[in-house]
Amino acid sequence: MKRYILKRLLFAIPTILGSMIVVFLIIRSIPGDPVTMKFGKSATVQEIEEYREEHGYNRPMAVQLVDSVFDTLRGDLGYSMANNQPVFGMILDCLPNTLELTIFGVLLAIVLGVTSGIFAALYRGSIFDMAILSLNTLLMSMPSFFLGLILIIVFGVQLKLIPVIGLNLAPEEHFLGLIGPVITVGLGSAASIARTTRTSMLKILGNDFIKVCKSKGIAKSAIILKHALRNALTPIITVVGGTFAAYLGGAVVTETVFARPGIGKLLVDAINARDYTVIQGTAVFLAVFMILVILVTDILYGVFDPRIRVQDSAK
């Protein structure tokens, strides 16, 4: 297992470097001069040129790219062009809000998705099964921003049960402000987890060892949870791990709709301000975080499925 982890970490290096280069080139192709936007229309040509000279924005693009890569490898993500704050510090300030939203959203998705997927597999072909599949199709096809706006209009504006925005909430309203974003994140993921759980459970429930368990008089709940679900976990873990990684870096829409001060909103604000260093630093940070999440997901395969550990040791 140690050899496997080391190999995955080594493979992660070109992935991170590739993401840095791609992001560097993309953000510099966006129309708009970041230095001019920083100083505004009242700035003189001399002020703008002095800033370019001081921060190296007048150097060739290739030189800027190499400097950016080496600075990032040293752990220096630079300073924000918009407010002159350390980029790494800005990310750490926003990270708890994004992690909170992602963790609670994925937990909600796991509970709803796994539970409904098990029931759909147990009652295959019934009205209950068809209702779950139809609802899953609806949720998977619904954009997250649309679901978020519905929750805001119905539960925030009309019923006044949840805050409309997540900024500057009182401490006692903190978890109340999480309800809308968590539901928005969780429902879409619950649909894909439910479909995966149903398919995986149907395969396991048709195996001979399940029939043997039934013939031995083992309780139905024990057969489902201890024997069937445990053997069906590998594809479910894949979906959950991918969902966590995706929402960690893809909470841009949800955080923007609910005005939550997370990494997603930080990235959107940086793009609007053409803040190159914040965009580059946030993209690299999210790439590293996603790689670690996927690595943990792969390790969990061996925890829940001994056959994977045996295959790995055999190599």
Side-chain angles (χ1 to χ4, degrees), residues 196-197 200-201 204 228-242 297-298 300-308:
T196 303
T197 303
S200 186
M201 286 290 291
I204 299 300
L229 181 59
R230 182 179 179 84
N231 285 276
L233 276 178
T234 301
I236 299 174
I237 291 173
T238 303
V239 176
V240 172
T297 303
D298 291 343
L300 288 177
Y301 292 156
V303 175
F304 289 99
D305 192 344
R307 293 171 296 181
I308 296 178

Side-chain angles (χ1 to χ4, degrees), residues 141-194:
S141 61
M142 184 181 298
S144 58
F145 75 88
F146 182 70
L147 178 59
L149 290 176
I150 291 176
L151 293 174
I152 289 176
I153 294 172
V154 175
F155 295 98
V157 178
Q158 299 294 332
L159 300 179
K160 301 185 184 303
L161 296 177
I162 62 174
V164 176
I165 60 175
L167 289 172
N168 302 321
L169 293 176
E172 61 272 12
E173 295 180 334
H174 177 74
F175 287 102
L176 192 63
L178 268 175
I179 295 177
V182 166
I183 293 176
T184 302
V185 169
L187 286 183
S189 303
S192 58
I193 293 175

